[in-house]
Amino acid sequence: MSEVDKIVEVCRKVYDKGYVSAYDGNVSLITERNTVLFTRSGICKGEVTPEDILEFDMSGALLKGEGKITTEFKLHLFAYSRRPDVSAAVHCHPVYATAFSLIGEGLVEHYFPEVILTLGKIPLCKYGTPSTNDLPLSLEPYIECSWAYLLQNHGALTLGKNLDDAYYKMEKLEHTAETIYKARQIGELKPLSRNHIDELLKISEETYGIKIDPRNIY
């Protein structure tokens, strides 16, 4: 599958999952040519076609395609500029994750071993007005080690080593937020103990092949 077709596929997935509505959200990836493919502004992600994918250089200059660049391009470029291990980003407004961002709460308590292994703690980034530099700079305190971010009063951003990775991190983020929300309706949540987390970190690389940066846990 071509890089453009992969973006189209992921756009359809996030729309079908209800992670975006109307013209919300954007998806990007770094190509083998070290350029950025990005969904154009003002397009429903459920209706994206290959013609809606624009190509830019790392400064944001249009190289190929027709359409307007979204103002949230800055968010993606900031992540790419600071994280050489990241090659794709997905920004959506998933209902449960966004709900946590509205009450000013990050998902930093650890309840699920699988979330520790794939996402780590999920910080809340302070509100930044779209189109301004405040939005990408809201990632600054967490950009070095986090893979998923709640954007206050805005939505969520996930990063990945490739586009599938970034998409599945978004899927895991929303599933986690929904599960925590529903568990709170039943009773008091029981987070994993520090001993359980330390044990998981010790065996993560040897058993699961996953090297975890402790800064993204504690």
Side-chain angles (χ1 to χ4, degrees):
M1 182 180 293
S2 72
E3 295 167 321
V4 169
D5 288 339
K6 174 56 69 174
I7 290 186
V8 172
E9 178 188 64
V10 168
C11 285
R12 301 288 177 84
K13 283 183 176 180
V14 297
Y15 185 79
D16 290 344
K17 284 279 191 177
Y19 298 163
V20 293
S21 65
Y23 304 139
D24 294 345
N26 29 75
V27 176
S28 72
L29 64 79
I30 298 178
T31 71
E32 295 177 351
R33 302 175 297 283
N34 201 37
T35 60
V36 181
L37 295 179
F38 208 98
T39 46
R40 72 172 177 85
S41 179
I43 182 68
C44 171
K45 301 307 169 291
E47 299 175 350
V48 165
T49 68
E51 289 69 35
D52 296 310
I53 310 304
L54 311 180
E55 186 171 2
F56 299 87
D57 65 20
M58 286 298 181
S59 70
L62 180 65
L63 300 175
K64 185 177 180 180
E66 296 183 5
K68 184 179 179 182
I69 188 173
T70 173
T71 58
E72 289 168 344
F73 187 67
K74 295 178 181 179
L75 191 67
H76 296 241
L77 277 188
F78 180 79
Y80 294 145
S81 70
R82 297 291 297 275
R83 289 287 295 275
D85 56 333
V86 166
S87 295
V90 175
H91 167 53
C92 295
H93 301 168
V95 172
Y96 288 92
T98 302
F100 277 96
S101 85
L102 293 179
I103 64 173
E105 183 177 341
L107 303 177
V108 295
E109 287 282 1
H110 296 300
Y111 301 103
F112 311 104
E114 64 274 15
V115 176
I116 293 176
L117 293 173
T118 56
L119 297 178
K121 65 182 179 184
I122 303 157
L124 176 74
C125 303
K126 68 179 182 179
Y127 178 75
T129 304
S131 83
T132 71
N133 288 329
D134 289 342
L135 180 58
L137 289 177
S138 71
L139 304 179
E140 176 68 42
Y142 319 104
I143 190 62
E144 297 298 335
C145 53
S146 295
W147 290 95
Y149 311 81
L150 297 186
L151 308 175
Q152 189 170 21
N153 293 76
H154 191 154
L157 174 75
T158 53
L159 310 177
K161 296 181 182 299
N162 54 58
L163 194 48
D164 282 332
D165 186 32
Y167 166 75
Y168 285 121
K169 283 180 167 59
M170 182 63 70
E171 190 173 275
K172 177 59 69 177
L173 167 60
E174 178 65 352
H175 183 264
T176 300
E178 182 178 0
T179 303
I180 292 173
Y181 169 82
K182 291 182 176 179
R184 286 180 176 178
Q185 314 311 304
I186 301 171
E188 182 181 355
L189 277 66
K190 307 296 184 184
L192 295 172
S193 70
R194 178 68 179 252
N195 286 340
H196 288 148
I197 295 169
D198 287 343
E199 182 180 17
L200 182 65
L201 295 182
K202 286 179 182 178
I203 68 172
S204 62
E205 188 168 8
E206 179 181 345
T207 303
Y208 301 105
I210 299 173
K211 188 174 183 178
I212 299 176
D213 188 334
R215 293 176 301 170
N216 192 26
I217 304 300
Y218 303 122

